[in-house]
Each structure stands twice: as structure tokens, then as C-alpha cells.
Amino acid sequence: MEKALSGVKILDMTHVQSGPTCTQLLAWFGADVIKVERPGVGDATRKQLVDVPGADSLYFTMLNHNKRSVTLNPKSEKGAEIFTKLIEHCDVMVENFAPGALDRMGFSWERIQEINPRMIYASVKGFGPGAYADCKVYENVAQCAGGSASTTGHLGDVPMVTAAQIGDSGTGLHLALGIVTALFQRTHTGKGQRVECAMQDGVLNLCRVKLRDQQRLAAGPLKEYSQHGQGIPFGEATPRAGNDSGGGQPGRILKCKGWENDPNAYTYFITQAAVWKNVCDVIGKPEWKEDPEYATPEVRLPRLDEIFETVEEWTMTKDKFEVMEICNPLNIPVGPILSMKEIAEDPSLRETGTVVEVDHPERGKYLTVGNPIKLSDSPSDVVRSPLLGEHTEQILSEIGLSSEDIAAARDDSAI
Ligand code: CAO
């Protein structure tokens, strides 16, 4: 079956996580992703957090499926010639080097447009134009600068970063959308364009409810925050709200049976207004249904601590899956806290291709996350990541280069 992006050729100058996430998604949709790597060295993550000596790390393999790898040093004279040919050949170039790296290689946006006016040139940087434009940025810096860390964690405790890679993978996702949008526009205009995503902007986009709350503070306390019911005054900025739900439906993480020994024996429990009566029945408080002190969302807000303590007395009598089995038929939104071990072993995630086992010649079998975006007419198969330079000969022959050029592309003596 033809894939959605069959025929689209991507010149992939990405490394580490944000850029590779983007090009991996495009590869899953069928684009031909040509990963250009430094001869003899490659993407630094190949040899970071190594678990199988001598083999590419999981860090690299899990972010670079379905791509082909070519080694090339565009800083050498011959390398620049070959790189120019690749720019002529491709539709999209993606990079996430530190600011200015591509210009220093001699391939500014202006130069790229001269070589190929149809080229879509997509970049991830830490910050957009301004005081910090020249900074190198990693995930946690972006989380801190994008408003996530100041609003994550517990009130009165230090700011907290989140395990979800919203700065890297989140920005990679944003960039992928920018690229396919530019490809669509090119079908009308025939022209390429520049696509830029700053990690700070990507994180802020994912934290927009917290900027919403910043503005709501002007109208008074944020009543759905636990701190309101606890009588703690609000300051000038959106505070950290622990595990409070981010929306208008109060929720908390509550202990379940076995919590004393199992760090993940918890459930998320939402006391959604629409099913309040069902919540009262389940937790053995039918009298709360009509009691004017508990019957409406507004009167419950200052009592959330007491309400969730009562719900927790019930959840502690059930394991997290029993809570789900009892609450789901009653439309009460709950979710078990799943460990990575449980996720890795979950048969339904294997069936949908969200968790996939891949075989690799150097490291054997490993698990990865497949494409979370499912297209009915463009299913994604996960193909192992390429070895360093595995496709140099194949790719350079395809664009008509000689064996002398291929040997030059492999030459790591100048690195
Ligand atoms: N051949 C020869 N040289 C190559 C090459 C190749 N195929 N590919 C890359 N290089 C060179 C670049 O030209 C650059 O050299 P110069 O600095 O001398 O111009 C160098 O390798 C890459 O530099 P870098 O500064 O990008 O790499 P770093 O490891 O020092 O920094 C990072 C990494 C991620 C902090 C930085 O790239 C960055 O800020 N990127 C933008 C933001 C981003 O994407 N961050 C998320 C990373 S994922 O956590």
C-alpha cells in the first residue's frame, strides 16, 4: 500500500531527540528519510546511555526507525559538493543543530533556496528571535523557560520537570505539522519555505491552560485549585497545583489497595459533576447527593480535601484495576497509574502497534513505541534504525554519484 508521504524525500540533519522525533514520524508516514551523519561518529546518541556494549543505544534506535543513514562531512570540499546534490534531490531539510551551525557549514537558508527553491527548510531551536536566540537548549531548559516547571510540582515545593518530553518530542511533533503544512502549501505555490519551531514556544503551547489561569487570577482565586479549599492565598503567578486536575472537573491521585508496597498502586479519580450521584453511591455516601453542602460543584470546591479523603477510603479497599472496572460502567472518569513495566507488558498496546518489538542486528530484540497516529490508509510499520552509514552507497548511487564520491563520503579523516 502507498503511504501518505510516499515520494517525499527528507534530508535529515537532526540529532539527539527533538529533530529525530520529527523525521521518524515523517518516515512512518512513508517519507524517504535520509539521515546525514558525521563519518565515523554519527548522531551522538548512538553511543549515549549504552546498555549493550558495541551496539547502538536504545536512545538512538528508538528515535530513528524507518530512516536510511548516509555519512558525509559537508564541511569538506567534496562533502559540500555531495551535500549540494542531496539538497537538489530532496523536498525537505530538517535540522536541530545549535544556532548558526548550518550557516557555518556554508548552507544558509539563502544558499539552500538558491540550490533548490522548492526546498522546505525546517529547524528546531531552543528559543525564537530575541535575547536568547543563540543559546543551546536541552529538554529541561525548555520545560523551565516554557512555563511548565513553574506550574508543575507541589505547592510550597521546588519547581518540577515532567518526564513527558514536551520540549524535545513535543517540539518535534509541532515541527512535523509545520512541514506537512508547508508541503501542502507548496502544492499551490510551487515554492519552498522556512519552518521554525522554538522549544520554548512548543512547551508554552502545551501549557496554555496555565497562561489561562494566570489571567483568571485577576478575577479572584482559582477556586478549582486545592489551595483554595485549604485557605492558602494566591500570589501573583499561576501556582503549582500538585495533582489537581487542570480543568473544571476536580481530580486527584488516590491510593489503592497495596499502595504501602507498590509505588504505582494509585488511581486518578475525577469527581465529574455530571456523574456526582454515581460517585456518591460508589463511595457509600448516598446522602451527599441531595445535601446542599455537597450537591453542586460550586459548594463542593471548598470541601475537596474532605471529599477526596472519603473517596480514597473507598479506593484503598480496591486495586487500581478494580477501581476502573467499577467506575467505568458508571461513567466515572478514572485511570490506573501504570508503570512502564505494565505498559511494556500490556497486550492491547502490542495489538495496536503502539508498543512494538523490533529486531536489531547488533543488539537483538528490543521494545519501542510505534506511531501513535493511526491512519487507516497509511499504516505504519516499524523498521529498525540504520547502522551508521549503512545506506551511503545505496543513496549516493541513486543520485548518480561515482564510487570515488562514495569513498569521499565515508572518509572520516577530516573529522
Ligand atoms: N559532518 C561534520 N560536522 C557535523 C556534521 C557532519 N555530518 N553534523 C554536524 N556537524 C557539526 C556541526 O557543524 C556543528 O559544528 P560547529 O559547532 O563547529 O559549527 C556540530 O557538529 C554540532 O554542534 P551542536 O552545537 O549542534 O552540538 P552540541 O552537541 O554541542 O549541542 C544541542 C547539542 C542539542 C544542545 C544543540 O544542537 C542545540 O541547541 N540544538 C537546538 C535545540 C535542540 O534541538 N535541542 C534539543 C536537543 S534534544 O534534547
mmCIF file of all heavy atoms in Angstrom, residues 15 44 121 146 156 194 200 222 273 296-297 316 320 349 372 403 413:
data_model
loop_
_atom_site.group_PDB
_atom_site.id
_atom_site.type_symbol
_atom_site.label_atom_id
_atom_site.label_comp_id
_atom_site.label_asym_id
_atom_site.label_seq_id
_atom_site.Cartn_x
_atom_site.Cartn_y
_atom_site.Cartn_z
ATOM 1 N N HIS A 15 19.734 15.532 15.174
ATOM 2 C CA HIS A 15 20.436 14.706 16.162
ATOM 3 C C HIS A 15 19.735 14.818 17.519
ATOM 4 O O HIS A 15 18.861 15.644 17.705
ATOM 5 C CB HIS A 15 21.923 15.102 16.262
ATOM 6 C CG HIS A 15 22.165 16.477 16.831
ATOM 7 N ND1 HIS A 15 23.371 16.867 17.367
ATOM 8 C CD2 HIS A 15 21.363 17.570 16.965
ATOM 9 C CE1 HIS A 15 23.301 18.108 17.796
ATOM 10 N NE2 HIS A 15 22.103 18.564 17.564
ATOM 11 N N ALA A 44 25.298 11.706 18.149
ATOM 12 C CA ALA A 44 25.939 11.441 19.453
ATOM 13 C C ALA A 44 25.167 10.420 20.290
ATOM 14 O O ALA A 44 25.758 9.676 21.087
ATOM 15 C CB ALA A 44 26.078 12.754 20.229
ATOM 16 N N TYR A 121 12.677 24.104 4.517
ATOM 17 C CA TYR A 121 13.823 24.034 5.434
ATOM 18 C C TYR A 121 13.305 24.210 6.858
ATOM 19 O O TYR A 121 12.838 25.291 7.240
ATOM 20 C CB TYR A 121 14.815 25.139 5.059
ATOM 21 C CG TYR A 121 16.021 25.275 5.969
ATOM 22 C CD1 TYR A 121 16.664 24.166 6.488
ATOM 23 C CD2 TYR A 121 16.524 26.533 6.293
ATOM 24 C CE1 TYR A 121 17.773 24.301 7.305
ATOM 25 C CE2 TYR A 121 17.640 26.678 7.118
ATOM 26 C CZ TYR A 121 18.247 25.559 7.617
ATOM 27 O OH TYR A 121 19.347 25.689 8.436
ATOM 28 N N GLY A 146 9.597 27.476 29.272
ATOM 29 C CA GLY A 146 8.279 27.499 28.618
ATOM 30 C C GLY A 146 7.114 27.521 29.588
ATOM 31 O O GLY A 146 5.956 27.415 29.174
ATOM 32 N N GLY A 156 4.522 25.021 47.488
ATOM 33 C CA GLY A 156 5.488 25.125 48.586
ATOM 34 C C GLY A 156 6.743 24.311 48.353
ATOM 35 O O GLY A 156 7.669 24.337 49.166
ATOM 36 N N ARG A 194 10.521 28.396 4.891
ATOM 37 C CA ARG A 194 11.216 28.076 6.125
ATOM 38 C C ARG A 194 10.206 27.762 7.232
ATOM 39 O O ARG A 194 9.202 28.464 7.369
ATOM 40 C CB ARG A 194 12.075 29.281 6.537
ATOM 41 C CG ARG A 194 13.075 28.891 7.563
ATOM 42 C CD ARG A 194 14.295 29.726 7.585
ATOM 43 N NE ARG A 194 15.178 29.054 8.549
ATOM 44 C CZ ARG A 194 16.273 29.527 9.028
ATOM 45 N NH1 ARG A 194 16.705 30.690 8.618
ATOM 46 N NH2 ARG A 194 16.989 28.855 9.903
ATOM 47 N N GLN A 200 10.906 26.630 23.493
ATOM 48 C CA GLN A 200 10.179 27.410 24.494
ATOM 49 C C GLN A 200 8.725 27.605 24.053
ATOM 50 O O GLN A 200 7.793 27.433 24.852
ATOM 51 C CB GLN A 200 10.842 28.784 24.681
ATOM 52 C CG GLN A 200 10.149 29.637 25.723
ATOM 53 C CD GLN A 200 10.719 31.048 25.829
ATOM 54 O OE1 GLN A 200 11.070 31.667 24.815
ATOM 55 N NE2 GLN A 200 10.820 31.544 27.051
ATOM 56 N N LEU A 222 -8.334 30.959 42.185
ATOM 57 C CA LEU A 222 -8.675 29.862 41.267
ATOM 58 C C LEU A 222 -9.356 28.784 42.114
ATOM 59 O O LEU A 222 -8.684 27.997 42.786
ATOM 60 C CB LEU A 222 -7.400 29.334 40.598
ATOM 61 C CG LEU A 222 -6.538 30.397 39.906
ATOM 62 C CD1 LEU A 222 -5.198 29.827 39.456
ATOM 63 C CD2 LEU A 222 -7.285 31.004 38.715
ATOM 64 N N ALA A 273 -18.874 16.506 37.559
ATOM 65 C CA ALA A 273 -20.178 16.978 38.054
ATOM 66 C C ALA A 273 -21.319 16.125 37.497
ATOM 67 O O ALA A 273 -22.250 15.763 38.228
ATOM 68 C CB ALA A 273 -20.365 18.442 37.668
ATOM 69 N N THR A 296 -23.825 20.541 44.728
ATOM 70 C CA THR A 296 -23.460 21.240 43.485
ATOM 71 C C THR A 296 -21.929 21.424 43.409
ATOM 72 O O THR A 296 -21.241 21.489 44.436
ATOM 73 C CB THR A 296 -24.105 22.644 43.416
ATOM 74 O OG1 THR A 296 -23.575 23.437 44.480
ATOM 75 C CG2 THR A 296 -25.623 22.573 43.519
ATOM 76 N N PRO A 297 -21.412 21.543 42.168
ATOM 77 C CA PRO A 297 -19.962 21.709 42.015
ATOM 78 C C PRO A 297 -19.448 22.907 42.804
ATOM 79 O O PRO A 297 -18.377 22.831 43.423
ATOM 80 C CB PRO A 297 -19.787 21.930 40.510
ATOM 81 C CG PRO A 297 -20.989 21.337 39.881
ATOM 82 C CD PRO A 297 -22.108 21.450 40.867
ATOM 83 N N MET A 316 -8.902 2.738 48.540
ATOM 84 C CA MET A 316 -7.894 1.922 49.238
ATOM 85 C C MET A 316 -8.393 0.495 49.512
ATOM 86 O O MET A 316 -7.604 -0.384 49.862
ATOM 87 C CB MET A 316 -7.469 2.602 50.549
ATOM 88 C CG MET A 316 -6.497 3.744 50.297
ATOM 89 S SD MET A 316 -6.300 4.830 51.711
ATOM 90 C CE MET A 316 -5.430 3.811 52.847
ATOM 91 N N LYS A 320 -6.123 -0.915 41.689
ATOM 92 C CA LYS A 320 -6.371 0.169 40.709
ATOM 93 C C LYS A 320 -7.189 -0.305 39.512
ATOM 94 O O LYS A 320 -7.903 0.491 38.902
ATOM 95 C CB LYS A 320 -5.044 0.789 40.259
ATOM 96 C CG LYS A 320 -4.078 -0.146 39.581
ATOM 97 C CD LYS A 320 -2.714 0.514 39.383
ATOM 98 C CE LYS A 320 -1.721 -0.421 38.747
ATOM 99 N NZ LYS A 320 -0.372 0.120 38.692
ATOM 100 N N LEU A 349 -1.763 -2.742 23.883
ATOM 101 C CA LEU A 349 -0.836 -1.793 23.248
ATOM 102 C C LEU A 349 0.018 -2.503 22.196
ATOM 103 O O LEU A 349 0.392 -1.922 21.178
ATOM 104 C CB LEU A 349 0.058 -1.121 24.292
ATOM 105 C CG LEU A 349 -0.655 -0.135 25.230
ATOM 106 C CD1 LEU A 349 0.297 0.375 26.305
ATOM 107 C CD2 LEU A 349 -1.234 1.044 24.454
ATOM 108 N N PRO A 372 2.051 6.707 17.189
ATOM 109 C CA PRO A 372 0.806 6.858 17.939
ATOM 110 C C PRO A 372 -0.319 7.438 17.081
ATOM 111 O O PRO A 372 -1.461 7.506 17.521
ATOM 112 C CB PRO A 372 1.187 7.840 19.061
ATOM 113 C CG PRO A 372 2.308 8.634 18.499
ATOM 114 C CD PRO A 372 3.042 7.731 17.536
ATOM 115 N N SER A 403 31.805 5.956 -7.483
ATOM 116 C CA SER A 403 32.398 5.235 -6.349
ATOM 117 C C SER A 403 33.455 6.111 -5.654
ATOM 118 O O SER A 403 33.679 6.001 -4.447
ATOM 119 C CB SER A 403 33.004 3.906 -6.793
ATOM 120 O OG SER A 403 33.756 4.099 -7.945
ATOM 121 N N SER A 413 38.645 11.014 7.839
ATOM 122 C CA SER A 413 39.960 11.525 8.221
ATOM 123 C C SER A 413 39.923 13.016 8.560
ATOM 124 O O SER A 413 40.740 13.499 9.333
ATOM 125 C CB SER A 413 40.976 11.258 7.103
ATOM 126 O OG SER A 413 40.502 11.823 5.904
#
